Amino acid sequence: MRDLIAAARQRGGLPPDDIVGLLAPLFRQVAELHDAGRVAPLRGLAALSVVDGRIVLDTTAATPPQRNRAAIAQVEQAYSHAVEVEHQPEQTGARIVAGWQTWEHLVAHHDELTDIASLGELLAALACGLDLADEADAAELAAHHRNLFAINPRINPVLAAVAGEMIEPDRRRRGQDLPGLTERLESYRDQPEDFDLDRVLAELPDTAGAGDRRSRLLEHLRDRLFDLSRRNPLLHFRRTLRSLNLTEASVPLVLDLRNITPAHLFTWGGPASQKLLSGKAVEVASVVRWDDAPYATQALDALISTARRDRAEYGQDQLRLVVAFLHWHDLKNAPAERISSPLVLAPAALTKKRGVRDSYRLTLTSTETEINPVLRHQLRELYGIELPERVDLAEATAIESLRETLRGQAQASEPGLQVNLVDKPRVEVVRHRAQVALQAYRRRRAASAPMVGRRHYAYSYGHPNYAPLGIQIFRDRLQRQPVPLAVELGDRPTPRHAVAPDVIEQDLFSLRPEGEANPYSWDVDLCSVTLANFNYRTLSLVRDYAALIAEPRPNAPFDELFSTAPRDVPPAASPLPLRDSYLVVPADGSQTTALAQARTADNFVIQGPPGTGKSQTITNLVADCVARGLRVLFVCQKRAALDVVHARLRSQGLDELCTLIHDSQADRKAFVLGLKDTYERWLADPEPVTAVAARRDELVAEIESAVADVGTYESALTGDAAGTRLVDVVERLVAAHGSRLGEDLGPALRRLLPAPGAWEAAAPSVEAIAAALRR
């Protein structure tokens, strides 16, 4: 163990995989001891040893738990249950101590939580390169136990979070579930990376100013928008059931390749692409060969369905025609792997017309296409290559100019790198991939056949795939299969893994000519025209972040939101008086409090589960701001929330003061026509705004007078306290429910007047309030 600690200290921390391999078995050993009612001998390193790359515990030295509840209670009394103290004084006793031990050991208390803290210290030491036998290292861990990035900026965020929970000196905040912590440790690669302010700012020097902090945070927030993992088809594209390669679907599956001409295939630059660029619709049947690509209808229906759902939820779809792919290599990390990424994304529309044979029509909504933003970011980060954001395909040399831009910037640092333009299809490769797609489709169809036992059998009695069911069952259940040599030699048998059901293309074959796999030979491929839906709507924020980084400007709310300093609790806002309240939909006490808080110009967040009135609060916030002469911008990720708020405003006659925009291009005409209609209505309105305001003031004065009379009657009958309570209740009811309470105010207040004769005395004033509300 001493050698392991010394190696971790020398390297400044071990890699995550080494840490997981070393500690996961130890964590499970300790968990088994806890299940048996014992605790591990983890005070010091004497009971630990490294065997075959794993840390092993001598379980024979395990003991029953040792408890000193009085000492623990005395230490925990120093901590407040109401507030969190940023810098807890060490005199409380709960702290990280040197000597590979915890503060619980020093007070003769050893239970399961003590073991979790000891394991956490070992995890933090291996990850940060510390030796806790050293007083200085222990003091450094104590100072930064909630921000391990200050010790090792390269530490994995998940490992840092797990270690931080385990070494927490406060036992009430320490991680309690050792098996759960072990699972998080072992699955650290699969866990999402949370935003950690301390980690983002860890690499900044202590002398960094507010501007440097702001720029670093903006860069990190911008980079978080890009998904650079293999799951992102914008970077690592794999054809699935929800995409369609029109080039492959257009190739005839003939026996003799010489019967296939390039005119048979749909490639960019051919007649079909010229028709699309001219603004005309292309019948998909004129491109796709339904007999050779029966899977195409299923893919087209999935594309239409996804695009329709995106339009309903987000106001716009993300159906794109991939005009060109870039086949390239990551020369710095994995030079042997060839990556296929969409390069040019053209916005497209796909429609379906039902008939005896359904027909599909494809059109381009614009010739101005977008360069894949994820690929642009990756090339800029790896090689400093700056590609344009958009190109206009109406220009005949648009793709060639893009290739020249890419080649020129790449060869500026590496003259040997070539960027080729593939505008003539490799017929043999395209036909082979089309055959693979057809075979995958047939396997999926066979998988839907009746089951025998628990297995599906891909049987067929027709040519060319003659495979009778009986022969399939015989081969699977009766015929003896040879045992693999590795299993005979003692290896564990491994199950055969099936291909994922939605993946129909894998790199299991290579038909590239000799030398094409050269990592310094990249291709701009125009012979793989593909229809697909991509999810990159959040990337529209990238240019906003770029503008803020290029032109930094101070922003107090931003600095306050991302500040590590303790924040003051804002004072409670005073309730809004009736005369100054502009509610248009019913609201309860918490919602009116939110309106009053909004008037203080303070930044705050309203949280709540569905159905708790967030949209009503937003509606009232918009109306309140408009009534005070302010302009409001309400944005939301999903279209449904925008539609709900707009419908509530429209139901109150406020649609003339607002406009609904889902797409800046598609909604432009409706926006202009809405302005025209609003101006015409205002010019034709016979009642001026001043008259409406005067009428409102008159009604408010009448209601306030009637509310005061209610308080007078109630005070005479039951005392001043009850009268104050009733006035407060009436004001709240009137402010929250407005005219809708005109019919229900009497029954609502009758239940609040307990004294005999109180209702009869207050009834005239209550009726006056109700009448004013009805008007």
Side-chain angles (χ1 to χ4, degrees), residues 77-273:
Q77 284 178 358
Y79 286 87
S80 171
H81 293 270
V83 299
E84 177 181 344
V85 181
E86 287 293 321
H87 300 287
Q88 187 72 29
E90 291 189 358
Q91 286 74 9
T92 60
R95 62 189 189 277
I96 295 176
V97 297
W100 293 104
Q101 57 185 343
T102 67
W103 67 268
E104 290 104 312
H105 288 127
L106 300 180
V107 297
H109 183 90
H110 186 181
D111 61 359
E112 292 82 358
L113 283 181
T114 307
D115 284 347
I116 291 179
S118 297
L119 293 174
E121 290 183 354
L122 185 58
L123 170 60
L126 294 178
C128 298
L130 301 175
D131 184 358
L132 297 186
D134 187 297
E135 291 282 353
D137 284 4
E140 186 176 11
L141 181 61
H144 304 291
H145 67 275
R146 294 183 184 174
N147 178 23
L148 297 180
F149 300 102
I151 305 175
N152 180 13
R154 302 181 305 277
I155 186 175
N156 181 271
V158 177
L159 268 61
V162 173
E165 291 182 27
M166 297 177 71
I167 64 177
E168 173 59 46
D170 187 355
R171 290 166 55 87
R172 292 164 298 188
R173 298 177 55 186
R174 187 180 301 166
Q176 311 285 319
D177 181 19
L178 183 56
L181 294 168
T182 306
E183 183 178 355
R184 289 175 58 189
L185 187 68
E186 293 179 320
S187 60
Y188 78 96
R189 289 184 177 273
D190 301 327
Q191 298 181 36
E193 180 179 336
D194 295 330
F195 180 81
D196 193 315
L197 183 61
D198 293 327
R199 179 195 175 203
V200 175
L201 301 178
E203 297 181 358
L204 285 179
D206 297 335
T207 58
D212 297 330
R213 288 169 49 90
R214 196 179 303 116
S215 298
R216 181 72 182 93
L217 287 167
L218 288 172
E219 291 174 358
H220 181 76
L221 292 172
R222 179 200 62 191
D223 294 343
R224 278 169 55 92
L225 296 174
F226 295 100
D227 179 11
L228 304 180
S229 67
R230 292 182 175 273
R231 296 186 300 269
N232 190 356
L234 285 169
L235 196 59
H236 297 267
F237 186 82
R238 292 292 184 270
R239 190 161 62 90
T240 66
L241 297 177
R242 295 185 174 272
S243 64
L244 180 62
N245 189 316
L246 295 174
T247 303
E248 294 178 10
S250 65
V251 61
L253 299 182
V254 296
L255 294 177
D256 194 345
L257 288 175
R258 292 173 295 182
N259 294 327
I260 303 177
T261 63
H264 288 139
L265 276 65
F266 176 31
T267 59
W268 195 255
S273 63

Side-chain angles (χ1 to χ4, degrees), residues 400-478:
E400 178 62 28
S401 299
L402 178 64
R403 181 182 74 98
E404 289 296 332
T405 300
L406 177 60
R407 182 174 64 178
Q409 296 189 43
Q411 291 183 349
S413 58
E414 179 51 69
L417 194 148
Q418 298 295 324
V419 180
N420 310 305
L421 182 65
V422 180
D423 55 355
K424 294 181 174 56
R426 299 179 177 91
V427 176
E428 183 180 0
V429 175
V430 175
R431 189 192 68 160
H432 186 85
R433 289 182 174 175
Q435 289 174 337
V436 171
L438 179 59
Q439 293 170 4
Y441 169 77
R442 288 173 176 170
R443 285 195 299 270
R444 293 193 304 273
R445 290 290 299 271
S448 62
M451 295 177 59
V452 178
R454 294 185 177 181
R455 314 232 26 214
H456 288 286
Y457 293 95
Y459 64 90
S460 172
Y461 294 96
H463 292 284
N465 300 311
Y466 181 72
L469 177 60
I471 295 179
Q472 298 294 316
I473 297 175
F474 170 78
R475 291 176 177 173
D476 181 63
R477 301 200 170 194
L478 299 177

Side-chain angles (χ1 to χ4, degrees), residues 588-636:
D588 59 17
S590 63
Q591 294 169 338
T592 55
T593 302
L595 294 175
Q597 188 71 24
R599 291 200 181 184
T600 64
D602 187 28
N603 302 301
F604 64 99
V605 177
I606 300 176
Q607 292 179 322
T612 54
K614 294 187 295 296
S615 61
Q616 292 95 320
T617 305
I618 295 172
T619 304
N620 283 326
L621 279 170
V622 173
D624 185 75
C625 292
V626 171
R628 294 184 290 119
L630 302 177
R631 292 178 294 176
V632 184
L633 174 64
F634 172 49
V635 296
C636 188

Side-chain angles (χ1 to χ4, degrees), residues 193 195 217-229 232 234-235 318 372-375 377-378 380-381 535-549 637:
E193 180 179 336
F195 180 81
L217 287 167
L218 288 172
E219 291 174 358
H220 181 76
L221 292 172
R222 179 200 62 191
D223 294 343
R224 278 169 55 92
L225 296 174
F226 295 100
D227 179 11
L228 304 180
S229 67
N232 190 356
L234 285 169
L235 196 59
Q318 296 180 101
N372 181 354
V374 178
L375 181 61
H377 173 76
Q378 184 73 334
R380 180 175 61 249
E381 293 296 316
N535 183 13
Y536 65 104
R537 61 180 62 88
T538 57
L539 296 182
S540 60
L541 299 174
V542 171
R543 62 174 63 94
D544 299 330
Y545 279 116
L548 292 174
I549 295 172
Q637 182 183 17

